Amino acid sequence: MKPLITTVRAISELATGLSSDAVSSSRVLFEFNTSEIDFLLAADDEDGVQRIVVVREGNAKEPYVPDHLGSLRRDVLSRMKSFAERARTAGPLSLPRQWHQYKYNNYVAFRVASKIDEHASRWIAEVLSGDRADVIFWKTTTSNSKSTLEEFESTRPVLPDWGQGWMKAVAAAKEHFTQARSQPADVEMNLPILEQSTTKGWTYQQWLAAITLEQRAFVDAGTDKSIRLRGPGGSGKTLALTLKAIREVLRAREAQDDVRVLVVTHSWALASQISDSIDSMGLGLLNEVDVFPLLEIAKTISPQYAQDSSGFNLIGDDSLSGKQAQLDEIMEVLEDFISGDWITYKGRVSDGLRKRFDSANEGDRLALAWDLLIEFGSVIGAAAIFPGAGSELRYFQLARTAWMLPLNGREDLRVVFELYSRFMASLDDRSLVTSDQVLADFLSHLETHTWNRTRRSQGYDLVFVDEFHLFSPLERQVLHYLTRDTSTYPRVFMALDPRQSPSEAFIGLAADETRSSSSMPADEYLGDVANFELTTIHRFTPQILDLIKHVHHEFPTLDLGHDWDIDFSRVESAKADGSLPHLISAASRSGEETDIFRAVQELYPAGRMALAVVDSRQWQRFSGLASQIGNSGKFHVSTISGRSDIEGLGYRSRGLIVGPAEYLAGLQFDAVLVAGIPDLNATSSTANERTRYLSLLYLALSRAQREIRVCVNEDDGGAPEVLLRAVTNGLMEMNQGSLV
């Protein structure tokens, strides 16, 4: 027996699906081993954090969960994390009904996961006394090996003392992450910002001379109306947005006008990149420009948050990092409700809503949870409605619009509000607050007379929004209050690519079954909005552009709607000719992995590379492959399992980044390997699934500048028809992959 001691942050990272073999190369995890105990810590874990002890007996394959639960590892880890969080709350430990808990003294037994487990496994866990509320996961019982908590207490093993080891592990982790963050610029790898990479060292004037006529038209456009800047990946939207923000500051200086400019992002990673880009253009300090994530602006300005002394903790550092945590909370509340009180509501709600609640399909449940997330944050929360006397009636009286979750009648509304009340109570029990709640409070403040006066000095003349397509309806409502001139429509300049949708990153294929929209019309509240499209591609060669056009032209037949109405017939490449993209077909999954390794060996010397995994369900397999490639000692390999992993990566002329395709949005590489493509044949997938994966295929292809290798295998259905047609049309070169 050799126990593992870890933390909530570390368990959360493992629960993304990261392969255990990839832990050693993770940028947010650190392993520290002694003869008696293994430790696993995450970046920023401090000495006083809650500790999670996993007692391991006979683990031959799985280092973090019992071997027989390997196929459910992600779900098991998620429930372990949730249990530990609940253990930290003041008062009695309360678990959702569907966990089927049994308590005895400090011990709790409960089901290991929400998914079906043929072994009927249950954890035996203990919550230790003290402020930390450390948790020990002692063992699992199964249908073949049952034991009561009373029996276990009398026979439990004795754990080695971990006090000294823990202190050493924390100290070693701090040293490790300090060194990783302070590496010189030529040691680590940095992912540059589209074509405005600061490594070029170009000045503002050099960039103005180099951009396309379309980009220049946007930069030179007047600021009397809002502008929506649309374009495909690699068209230089972020560059154009940055240059225009600078241009307006220089114009104001020349006219001796006072101007305040805000550049808003959805994450700290992008905000830091834009800020660095502005600083690199040789203009000195531009104090007139602020670059922040929207959530940070809310935390700074909103008095409800800035003066909060309640001790509540915010889930996530920005809107993106907090969404998954909110979904997990909603899923638990939803499952508990359906297994309990749903029976008293189901006879009164509409047929459509009843079918969604009664569906046993996991994707349907995820889609419902996403719709509830939008409803809770952008409808109920935005209206500042809190559970309590009379609040339900206020919700009933809200006007509903097309982008909201379709609810037919008061009984539908009543069941949704009941779930909202339970969601809020669950958060309160653990002293948690979501980014949507902070922004809802912020929106309430922005609608006050106080802010209407204050905005004249603290507001902005011009607001620039990058990745506008990622902003929720609630977040979009906030934007127009940030300008300081209340006598005119706000002047907001939005850069967006409609192909890059937020919901798929969190719920995958289930996004196709959602009923609400995560967006509202882009010109809502903004008055007259002009449209600019960028049609000259600077990132990739004409050959890569031809392939992307080919994939794009497949989409109208799948009825993607107005979001895909960019006229690709007018899009051209400004790059020199390159080689044709390659389609490499192997006989098996293992053969595909061999082909990927060979491609890495061949292309690695040429520059930065990415391995983009289209089907995130295969992420564990490819993160394991990334670990094997990295352990060869020949290649610098980094894995990303979320957008937050992008932050802090240094610069290196060569290196391989491995991650799900959706997390590579906005990044560029010299060469891209595309893998993990599921069977897209009509007989084995639905139209929604094909649409989803073709969208991610488009995204993966558009990350490449010079080289593309698409790897497929016969175990997963071989090459999709869209790529075979590309070969027939002379847009790709077909190669035989490994035959084993």
Side-chain angles (χ1 to χ4, degrees):
M1 176 189 72
K2 190 179 185 183
L4 168 74
I5 299 182
T6 184
T7 67
V8 168
R9 284 194 182 98
I11 289 286
S12 299
E13 179 67 15
L14 292 175
T16 64
L18 187 72
S19 167
S20 56
D21 293 334
V23 169
S24 59
S25 60
S26 170
R27 302 203 52 93
V28 295
L29 294 177
F30 173 73
E31 295 176 301
F32 182 82
N33 304 318
T34 69
S35 59
E36 294 185 312
I37 303 173
D38 292 335
F39 295 88
L40 179 67
L41 286 82
D44 301 323
D45 275 336
E46 299 289 342
D47 170 53
V49 300
Q50 179 192 35
R51 296 168 292 194
I52 298 173
V53 183
V54 184
V55 180
R56 302 173 296 181
E57 295 184 7
N59 284 38
K61 300 178 181 179
E62 287 289 337
Y64 309 116
V65 301
D67 282 348
H68 74 277
L69 296 173
S71 61
L72 297 175
R73 183 161 70 95
R74 183 172 182 173
D75 298 279
V76 174
L77 290 168
S78 293
R79 180 153 291 186
M80 292 168 67
K81 173 185 76 76
S82 181
F83 179 84
E85 289 176 339
R86 292 172 183 275
R88 290 194 304 228
T89 60
L93 176 63
S94 176
L95 301 181
R97 183 183 294 111
Q98 72 271 16
W99 289 27
H100 300 289
Q101 69 176 11
Y102 176 74
K103 295 182 179 179
Y104 176 74
N105 293 335
N106 289 336
Y107 300 98
V108 185
F110 58 90
R111 288 176 54 181
V112 298
S114 58
K115 292 185 177 180
I116 297 176
D117 166 28
E118 62 179 340
H119 303 283
S121 302
R122 295 170 64 82
W123 274 117
I124 293 180
E126 180 183 7
V127 180
L128 302 184
S129 58
D131 293 337
R132 286 182 191 259
D134 291 336
V135 172
I136 302 177
F137 289 94
W138 285 103
K139 64 177 294 187
T140 55
T141 63
T142 66
S143 55
N144 295 326
S145 176
K146 298 180 179 179
S147 63
T148 66
L149 297 182
E150 294 86 346
E151 292 171 339
F152 172 75
E153 185 180 40
S154 63
T155 60
R156 75 172 193 180
V158 177
L159 295 179
D161 179 72
W162 66 70
Q164 289 295 111
W166 171 256
M167 296 296 292
K168 292 179 180 179
V170 171
K174 286 184 177 180
E175 181 179 356
H176 168 79
F177 289 115
T178 298
Q179 290 181 354
R181 291 165 179 164
S182 62
Q183 291 285 355
D186 60 349
V187 174
E188 293 298 327
M189 178 180 177
N190 187 30
L191 303 177
I193 316 162
L194 298 179
E195 281 296 318
Q196 77 269 36
S197 170
T198 58
T199 59
K200 285 194 173 183
W202 284 9
T203 66
Y204 168 72
Q205 292 298 335
Q206 286 176 310
W207 275 117
L208 282 184
I211 59 177
T212 67
L213 293 176
E214 292 142 318
Q215 288 174 306
R216 188 59 185 257
F218 171 74
V219 172
D220 291 341
T223 58
D224 57 326
K225 64 177 66 175
S226 294
I227 298 177
R228 183 171 48 240
L229 178 66
R230 298 169 19 120
S235 57
K237 297 183 297 296
T238 299
L239 172 61
L241 202 75
T242 304
L243 292 174
K244 183 163 185 62
I246 295 174
R247 165 58 66 92
E248 298 311 321
V249 170
L250 298 181
R251 280 177 174 171
R253 287 182 176 181
E254 185 177 342
Q256 296 185 337
D257 291 335
D258 173 40
V259 68
R260 297 192 76 223
V261 175
L262 174 66
V263 181
V264 184
T265 67
H266 214 244
S267 69
W268 271 114
L270 185 56
S272 299
Q273 291 170 350
I274 293 175
S275 182
D276 290 344
S277 181
I278 292 174
D279 292 342
S280 74
M281 293 196 181
L283 297 172
L285 292 177
L286 270 66
N287 294 323
E288 299 94 331
V289 182
D290 289 337
V291 187
F292 289 113
L294 183 60
L295 183 60
E296 185 64 20
I297 298 169
K299 290 163 59 178
T300 303
I301 296 178
S302 176
Q304 296 98 319
Y305 191 88
Q307 301 170 13
D308 182 31
S309 59
S310 64
F312 274 55
N313 297 309
L314 178 63
I315 302 176
D317 295 323
D318 49 40
S319 297
L320 286 177
S321 62
K323 280 290 190 297
Q324 186 61 59
Q326 292 183 60
L327 272 174
D328 290 343
E329 295 289 334
I330 292 172
M331 280 293 289
E332 286 192 4
V333 170
L334 185 59
E335 291 173 0
D336 186 46
F337 175 76
I338 291 174
S339 65
D341 295 337
W342 165 236
I343 189 67
T344 64
Y345 291 85
K346 65 183 300 181
R348 300 193 296 268
V349 301
S350 65
D351 290 342
L353 191 61
R354 184 186 307 113
K355 289 178 181 178
R356 299 191 73 187
F357 272 81
D358 285 341
S359 174
N361 182 276
E362 183 181 2
D364 292 342
R365 192 68 56 83
L366 278 171
L368 178 57
W370 179 265
D371 284 337
L372 292 172
L373 182 147
I374 298 296
E375 186 76 8
F376 293 172
S378 297
V379 181
I380 308 177
I385 299 175
F386 309 103
S391 56
E392 186 180 61
L393 181 59
R394 285 187 59 203
Y395 175 50
F396 294 166
Q397 294 171 342
L398 289 179
R400 301 196 67 78
T401 58
W403 61 266
M404 297 179 185
L405 168 65
L407 298 173
N408 300 313
R410 182 160 291 195
E411 295 302 328
D412 283 10
L413 292 165
R414 180 170 283 113
V415 73
V416 168
F417 195 78
E418 173 63 21
L419 287 166
Y420 172 69
S421 300
R422 296 183 182 209
F423 171 66
M424 292 290 287
S426 175
L427 294 175
D428 288 344
D429 285 344
R430 280 173 283 172
S431 300
L432 299 175
V433 62
T434 68
S435 57
D436 282 346
Q437 290 173 340
V438 173
L439 287 166
D441 287 342
F442 185 40
L443 182 60
S444 297
H445 171 66
L446 296 178
E447 293 172 335
T448 64
H449 290 293
T450 301
W451 173 249
N452 198 50
R453 294 188 298 269
T454 307
R455 67 191 294 183
R456 298 167 191 168
S457 59
Q458 293 189 18
Y460 296 89
D461 297 284
L462 305 172
V463 177
F464 294 81
V465 188
D466 205 3
E467 292 191 330
F468 181 76
H469 49 277
L470 295 181
F471 284 72
S472 71
L474 170 63
E475 292 163 333
R476 295 185 182 193
Q477 292 180 61
V478 167
L479 294 171
H480 77 283
Y481 283 105
L482 300 179
T483 56
R484 60 180 176 181
D485 187 352
T486 60
S487 64
T488 63
Y489 280 118
R491 293 175 290 171
V492 181
F493 305 89
M494 303 153 280
L496 66 148
D497 181 351
R499 293 163 188 74
Q500 298 175 16
S501 168
S503 60
E504 291 95 342
F506 299 100
I507 61 175
L509 294 176
D512 299 319
E513 304 303 324
T514 55
R515 300 292 183 269
S516 62
S517 170
S518 61
S519 63
M520 57 174 64
D523 51 3
E524 188 84 17
Y525 308 113
L526 300 181
D528 191 14
V529 179
N531 287 283
F532 279 74
E533 287 195 6
L534 300 182
T535 57
T536 301
I537 301 298
H538 306 275
R539 172 180 295 156
F540 30 70
T541 64
Q543 288 72 26
I544 293 176
L545 178 59
D546 286 342
L547 176 60
I548 292 173
K549 285 183 179 181
H550 168 75
V551 175
H552 166 78
H553 290 317
E554 295 290 325
F555 280 73
T557 65
L558 297 174
D559 191 23
L560 287 180
H562 68 279
D563 283 344
W564 288 79
D565 60 4
I566 294 175
D567 184 3
F568 263 71
S569 65
R570 299 192 299 117
V571 176
E572 298 178 351
S573 172
K575 288 282 188 180
D577 281 338
S579 60
L580 283 178
H582 291 254
L583 176 61
I584 306 170
S585 181
S588 64
R589 281 190 166 191
S590 61
E592 178 188 22
E593 294 170 10
T594 299
D595 294 337
I596 291 171
F597 188 78
R598 289 172 178 167
V600 170
Q601 289 179 306
E602 178 185 347
L603 298 175
Y604 189 84
R608 291 178 292 273
M609 296 180 61
L611 171 56
V613 181
V614 173
D615 184 357
S616 60
R617 294 173 298 185
Q618 299 190 41
W619 170 233
Q620 185 171 342
R621 176 165 76 98
F622 286 102
S623 63
L625 176 62
S627 178
Q628 294 177 30
I629 296 174
N631 290 337
S632 69
K634 300 178 181 179
F635 312 101
H636 181 278
V637 181
S638 297
T639 58
I640 59 173
S641 56
R643 283 180 174 265
S644 61
D645 293 349
I646 297 170
E647 292 189 71
L649 291 176
Y651 178 80
R652 189 186 176 105
S653 59
R654 291 190 298 272
L656 171 66
I657 293 292
V658 183
E662 57 259 45
Y663 297 129
L664 300 179
L667 308 178
Q668 69 177 29
F669 305 89
D670 296 288
V672 171
L673 309 178
V674 184
I677 301 176
D679 190 348
L680 297 181
N681 296 319
T683 57
S684 59
S685 61
T686 67
N688 284 335
E689 289 174 331
R690 291 192 296 277
T691 300
R692 156 71 175 159
Y693 286 122
L694 282 173
S695 178
L696 288 175
L697 176 61
Y698 160 85
L699 181 61
L701 296 174
S702 66
R703 302 306 96 201
Q705 296 182 97
R706 295 198 303 265
E707 290 275 353
I708 286 178
R709 305 283 175 91
V710 181
C711 298
V712 297
N713 69 82
E714 294 178 10
D715 286 345
D716 289 328
E721 188 176 346
V722 61
L723 295 184
L724 292 176
R725 282 198 293 271
V727 173
T728 301
N729 294 338
L731 304 177
M732 295 189 79
E733 180 180 319
M734 187 76 171
N735 301 118
Q736 177 64 60
S738 298
L739 297 176
V740 295

